[in-house]
């Protein structure tokens, strides 16, 4: 019903920037919010940020002031600035419908290293 296609992951040096994209397709009119989670090796998947259809945003404390989420139609972007090694993780796009159905992208690797 909903498909999520991610792009933009890669290797970046500490202090650098990267932009992730997630395009939703299918029955997108049912989507209420989209966002990003991340999972580092050996750690639980954690919430990063999300944005509602109305434009309200919520950020995890760990990324406030450094990451910015935006939306253009049914594509969401995650602009990541001032990246730190601890930001290294697999980043997953997430979509939640008004019926509380959840959809996930396959994940994209972000590595912050010298």
């Amino acid at each position: 019903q909903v498909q999520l296609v991610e792009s933009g992951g890669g290797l970046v040096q500490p202090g650098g920037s990267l932009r992730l994209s997630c395009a939703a397709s299918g029955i997108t009119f049912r989507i209420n919010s989209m966002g990003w989670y991340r999972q580092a090796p050996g750690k639980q998947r954690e919430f990063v940020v999300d944005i509602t259809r109305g434009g309200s945003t919520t950020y995890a404390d760990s990324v406030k002031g450094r990451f910015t989420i935006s939306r253009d139609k049914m594509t969401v972007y995650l602009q990541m600035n001032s990246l730190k090694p601890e930001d290294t993780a697999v980043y997953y796009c997430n979509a939640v419908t008004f019926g509380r159905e959840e959809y996930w992208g396959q994940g994209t690797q972000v590595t912050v290293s010298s």
Side-chain angles (χ1 to χ4, degrees):
Q1 293 187 1
V2 176
Q3 297 81 42
L4 303 175
V5 180
E6 304 169 347
S7 63
L11 175 65
V12 65
Q13 294 183 338
S17 298
L18 204 61
R19 190 177 79 158
L20 306 182
S21 300
C22 177
S25 61
I27 311 177
T28 58
F29 63 85
R30 295 181 178 178
I31 296 175
N32 184 41
S33 66
M34 295 180 65
W36 297 89
Y37 286 69
R38 67 186 183 185
Q39 186 168 25
K43 298 183 179 179
Q44 290 184 297
R45 185 174 300 187
E46 66 173 346
F47 170 81
V48 177
V49 62
D50 67 9
I51 184 168
T52 68
R53 185 175 289 270
S56 298
T57 59
T58 303
Y59 292 87
D61 288 342
S62 59
V63 305
K64 286 181 179 177
R66 300 189 299 120
F67 291 10
T68 304
I69 191 170
S70 61
R71 178 176 62 82
D72 179 14
K73 297 182 181 178
M74 282 292 102
T75 300
V76 295
Y77 305 92
L78 182 62
Q79 180 65 47
M80 304 184 292
N81 298 327
S82 302
L83 283 162
K84 306 174 181 179
E86 49 263 46
D87 294 317
T88 296
V90 177
Y91 284 70
Y92 296 92
C93 183
N94 165 261
V96 181
T97 70
F98 289 100
R100 307 309 300 170
E101 297 174 310
E102 294 187 352
Y103 297 88
W104 297 89
Q106 67 176 357
T108 184
Q109 178 70 47
V110 172
T111 302
V112 184
S113 176
S114 299

